Amino acid sequence: GAGVSQSPSNKVTEKGKDVELRCDPISGHTALYWYRQRLGQGLEFLIYFQGNSAPDKSGLPSDRFSAERTGESVSTLTIQRTQQEDSAVYLCASSVSFAGTDTQYFGPGTRLTVL
Amino acid sequence: AQSVTQLGSHVSVSEGALVLLRCNYSSSVPPYLFWYVQYPNQGLQLLLKYTTGATLVKGINGFEAEFKKSETSFHLTKPSAHMSDAAEYFCAVSESVGNEKLTFGTGTRLTIIP
């Protein structure tokens, strides 16, 4: 079946603008995760959803970052007043449940460039 | 808190040679361990994972990894490198109790020399 999809694939924005990044998880997956991958670095956990609830927001870098999820479907990561340090690839992943044994399936990512 | 260290940000091996990518982890509870591969312009793909049971785990494309608790390691190996193995490899850990988010290493870029 279809994998995790993300849109847009690339986004170039000006400093100070708001951006919205979208993630469509695999159908039936209750857990959804957002990660950030800065150039030359590993993946950094941002937030996860169990259903449409986000129990752990500790990874969000600042209050400019927020995320929501509609039911057990689409999630949107919003970055307000973007800064140059927000430039990165934003990856979304989903898994069947939130058990640690469940494989997280990753989308292709959204490459965000803040000028 | 959990953490992952990948020794060597770049590794080059000749085609047909042994591939060894190193990963050491730190975790306060029994870990779940993962290796992901990222091919150029593609998303992350799971190679293999260790949760419980047999400590030698076999994955896709001929890769395997061995969980060694005493060494806190989960090194990735492949007996004979192929050109198609050129990619970036990420080791990750999640804790088996309470916090199932993945903590990733910084990655190792594998280059295959013809």
Side-chain angles (χ1 to χ4, degrees):
Chain A
V4 178
S5 61
Q6 293 185 244
S7 61
S9 55
N10 280 284
K11 176 70 176 179
V12 180
T13 190
E14 294 180 348
K15 178 181 173 181
K17 301 282 190 181
D18 297 351
V19 296
E20 281 190 356
L21 312 180
R22 177 187 168 107
C23 171
D24 282 271
I26 294 172
S27 178
H29 281 194
T30 60
L32 185 148
Y33 309 78
W34 283 98
Y35 294 87
R36 177 169 71 175
Q37 185 178 22
R38 288 171 159 167
L39 187 64
Q41 299 185 25
L43 278 74
E44 172 189 6
F45 168 78
L46 297 179
I47 190 171
Y48 81 84
F49 288 90
Q50 209 168 343
N52 62 5
S53 171
D56 183 2
K57 300 181 180 180
S58 62
L60 294 176
S62 75
D63 58 8
R64 296 185 295 105
F65 287 71
S66 62
E68 62 179 22
R69 187 179 184 193
T70 307
E72 292 187 353
S73 184
V74 172
S75 176
T76 303
L77 177 69
T78 301
I79 309 173
Q80 296 179 310
R81 305 181 303 281
T82 52
Q83 304 294 313
Q84 288 184 332
E85 64 261 27
D86 299 335
S87 295
V89 176
Y90 289 81
L91 290 162
C92 175
S94 71
S95 60
V96 171
S97 74
F98 194 56
T101 52
D102 285 347
T103 297
Q104 293 185 24
Y105 296 88
F106 283 79
T110 294
R111 182 175 299 278
L112 175 65
T113 303
V114 181
L115 301 177
Chain B
Q2 58 206 28
S3 65
V4 174
T5 302
Q6 290 184 243
L7 292 177
S9 58
H10 292 83
V11 171
S12 296
V13 300
S14 297
E15 190 175 14
L18 171 72
V19 175
L20 170 60
L21 304 182
R22 299 179 185 275
C23 172
N24 288 88
Y25 70 90
S26 171
S27 177
S28 57
V29 299
Y32 295 149
L33 295 158
F34 305 79
W35 275 100
Y36 280 85
V37 60
Q38 188 174 33
Y39 297 104
N41 300 316
Q42 294 187 29
L44 285 162
Q45 180 182 0
L46 181 71
L47 269 180
L48 50 79
K49 67 180 181 182
Y50 167 79
T51 54
T52 58
T55 56
L56 181 61
V57 180
K58 296 186 184 297
I60 61 172
N61 302 337
F63 283 92
E64 62 183 36
E66 186 170 9
F67 168 56
K68 292 187 176 180
K69 183 179 178 181
S70 61
E71 299 178 7
T72 60
S73 69
F74 192 57
H75 302 329
L76 182 71
T77 60
K78 181 174 180 178
S80 177
H82 192 273
M83 295 300 295
S84 61
D85 295 328
E88 187 142 22
Y89 292 79
F90 292 93
C91 182
V93 62
S94 71
E95 295 188 338
S96 57
V97 177
N99 190 352
E100 284 75 16
K101 71 180 184 184
L102 290 173
T103 298
F104 284 84
T106 52
T108 297
R109 183 169 300 278
L110 177 65
T111 300
I112 309 299
I113 304 166

